[in-house]
Amino acid sequence: MKLNRRRVLMTTAAGALVGAASRAFSQPAAPIRLTVQYAWPKSYDSVMQNIAAQFAAVRPDVHVEFMAPATDYVDLLQRILRAAITGGMPDVAIHGMNNVDRLAERKLITPLRPLIATEKNWSEMGYSPSILSMGDVCGDPFCMPFTIAIKSIYYNLDLVKRAGGDPDKLPNTWGEIIELQRKIQGLGGGVLGLYADYYFDDNFTFQSLIQTQGGTIATPDGRVAFGGKEGLQALQWLQGFGQAGMIDMTVNQAYASFTSGMLGILVASSSRITQLTKDSGGLFPMKVVAFPRSINGTVPGGGGGVMIHAKTGEKLQAAWDFAKFATGPVGSTEVVEKSGYIPGNSVAINDPRYLKSFYDRHPPQRAMVDQMPFLTKWYNWPGDHSLKILTVTRDYIQQVATLKQTPEAVLPKMVSDLEALLKA
């Protein structure tokens, strides 16, 4: 990859941050081979290649070699668990941040606190405690957030206006959103009011509905914590979507409906901003906002985080330097400019050399960044039945959203089934 002048300046500045670390290293006879694996769509391969090329300017003694990408975070997790038995573990991997507990409890990833302690200028490198808490396990960070996404609400402002809504004063509560959904649905002609992708991303929508109310998914000792009012309210909102006309379709069908101008409100990941804006081709004005949030509500952050599998020596140091570079100003700029993800680095956000001017030009992305002070961990259930718990939860949610069961009937059964799986 040829680096243009801006990229050279960016890489040089970031190199100062990564290296300030600026520990001298003697160049070995052969480059250090650093294997990296990730789970991104094919369209993001160029992002990783660009990051690796620019990292080479900072650590020319390290050769980054990408292993075959996984299809998704679950596939990557399964590959890593197999590799732990059969061999072939990468030195670095970009896992779903909801998998950090599984990997840490199996001692397959390296804790970051000892590495952070070696950084004399850590407080200046742009990693806030709230960001690092997203990869926290029992009080210690194990993950550097790389691509952060939150559940968001996309509005087709043309349909909002046609339905009698005010594009400059969008709803502030889920009750108001459902009422607007009904009005858009009533326009007829095949227009749909709302779709929420509750069946996607490991129940991320359900978790977001609970946490933005101020609730939690689990107690500190790992028991189900949403059996009360927050869980019931989340299910009632999902029921409300169904009662107001939400059709149970795939997320790809929903994205196509939205970008063609036939869906008024889409509840989806903020990481879809770039894709949906591009696919809609300016057909209608769009606005993206965060979930309604109570005064004590938090916002779970999904996405991927850089986790280190290397354990000791020069491989560990190279992996740590790559993790800082990929999640630092240069890596964050590469990711954000080509996607709708939120970066995990405040230097990248606020420095004019990196993303400040980008956010000035892209208000929807800036609105997502404003949620960073409220970000919390994407909770993952512990134990051998964690994946089964996700499936059971999702299937119960579908029963409510498709109006086959009521929230009042589903919630106690869901809690009971999950508690049984946690004890099994």
Side-chain angles (χ1 to χ4, degrees):
M1 185 197 76
K2 294 183 178 179
L3 300 181
N4 60 31
R5 184 172 181 274
R6 176 172 178 261
R7 291 299 189 205
V8 169
L9 292 173
M10 288 168 55
T11 303
T12 302
L17 288 170
V18 170
S22 254
R23 56 184 66 77
F25 55 87
S26 58
Q27 189 154 328
I32 299 168
R33 176 176 174 265
L34 189 73
T35 54
V36 178
Q37 194 166 31
Y38 57 93
W40 269 19
K42 189 72 175 173
S43 57
Y44 287 112
D45 286 352
S46 63
V47 173
M48 299 307 301
Q49 295 292 342
N50 287 350
I51 290 172
Q54 293 173 85
F55 178 66
V58 177
R59 288 291 308 263
D61 63 321
V62 177
H63 173 67
V64 175
E65 181 178 309
F66 291 110
M67 299 175 68
T71 55
D72 53 35
Y73 291 135
V74 173
D75 179 37
L76 178 57
L77 176 65
Q78 291 171 340
R79 293 189 193 194
I80 293 298
L81 294 178
R82 286 197 298 270
I85 299 171
T86 63
M89 184 91 71
D91 300 309
V92 177
I94 301 173
H95 289 279
M97 284 189 285
N98 62 324
N99 290 325
V100 65
D101 295 84
R102 291 189 186 104
L103 293 162
E105 69 185 11
R106 290 171 171 81
K107 301 188 185 308
L108 296 180
I109 51 178
T110 298
L112 302 184
R113 192 176 298 282
L115 296 167
I116 292 172
T118 67
E119 303 291 342
K120 294 180 180 179
N121 300 315
W122 179 253
S123 62
E124 302 171 13
M125 294 174 67
Y127 301 102
S128 68
S130 64
I131 289 295
L132 285 181
S133 73
M134 297 173 68
D136 181 278
V137 180
C138 298
D140 281 320
F142 279 79
C143 167
M144 301 279 278
F146 180 58
T147 54
I148 303 172
I150 63 175
K151 284 297 179 180
S152 306
I153 308 169
Y154 296 72
Y155 288 95
N156 176 327
L157 297 182
D158 278 349
L159 292 178
V160 168
K161 191 172 182 178
R162 282 180 54 196
D166 185 348
D168 295 320
K169 191 177 179 182
L170 294 170
N172 292 317
T173 68
W174 284 111
E176 293 173 352
I177 291 168
I178 292 170
E179 182 57 32
L180 179 58
Q181 173 193 357
R182 290 183 186 277
K183 292 177 179 178
I184 295 173
Q185 189 87 19
L187 293 173
V191 170
L192 301 175
L194 176 147
Y195 177 82
D197 62 353
Y198 69 91
Y199 209 76
F200 190 60
D201 283 346
D202 295 343
N203 308 315
F204 197 18
T205 295
F206 184 61
Q207 184 170 156
S208 298
L209 289 172
I210 289 172
Q211 289 191 206
T212 49
Q213 295 179 67
T216 58
I217 297 299
T219 63
D221 60 350
R223 299 192 63 192
V224 178
F226 58 82
K229 62 179 182 179
E230 292 90 2
L232 181 61
Q233 180 63 82
L235 290 174
Q236 287 172 338
W237 284 328
L238 288 160
Q239 180 190 48
F241 299 157
Q243 291 171 334
M246 184 176 76
I247 295 175
D248 201 33
M249 54 184 164
T250 68
V251 290
N252 287 333
Q253 289 171 330
Y255 297 160
S257 180
F258 184 76
T259 56
S260 67
M262 298 300 290
L263 174 63
I265 307 169
L266 173 67
V267 176
S269 170
S270 61
S271 66
R272 303 292 174 177
I273 290 175
T274 300
Q275 173 195 341
L276 295 172
T277 301
K278 179 182 176 182
D279 290 351
S280 63
L283 181 63
F284 53 87
M286 182 193 310
K287 188 167 185 179
V288 190
V289 302
F291 273 23
R293 185 181 59 83
S294 67
I295 193 168
N296 63 333
T298 59
V299 180
V306 179
M307 304 184 203
I308 297 175
H309 295 290
K311 297 296 184 183
T312 59
E314 62 183 17
K315 277 284 185 84
L316 175 58
Q317 186 58 57
W320 174 233
D321 285 346
F322 180 80
K324 290 180 294 177
F325 191 84
T327 61
V330 173
S332 294
T333 299
E334 285 289 343
V335 170
V336 172
E337 288 184 344
K338 296 176 176 65
S339 73
Y341 284 107
I342 302 168
N345 187 280
S346 61
V347 173
I349 293 167
N350 298 315
D351 193 319
R353 291 172 298 179
Y354 302 109
L355 289 171
K356 185 178 184 302
S357 61
F358 173 84
Y359 284 124
D360 289 343
R361 300 191 310 271
H362 297 84
Q365 275 93 331
R366 181 77 225 191
M368 298 301 102
V369 169
D370 291 341
Q371 298 299 303
M372 288 181 70
F374 312 111
L375 286 175
T376 57
K377 187 176 178 179
W378 180 9
Y379 186 78
N380 181 67
W381 296 102
D384 295 336
H385 298 290
S386 55
L387 294 178
K388 177 67 172 176
I389 287 172
L390 296 176
T391 301
V392 169
T393 304
R394 183 197 66 192
D395 290 346
Y396 271 124
I397 291 170
Q398 185 183 39
Q399 293 290 306
V400 172
T402 56
L403 310 180
K404 294 176 182 176
Q405 291 199 58
T406 66
E408 294 76 12
V410 158
L411 186 60
K413 289 190 289 186
M414 179 162 60
V415 171
S416 176
D417 284 359
L418 267 54
E419 292 282 10
L421 286 168
L422 288 168
K423 293 175 183 176

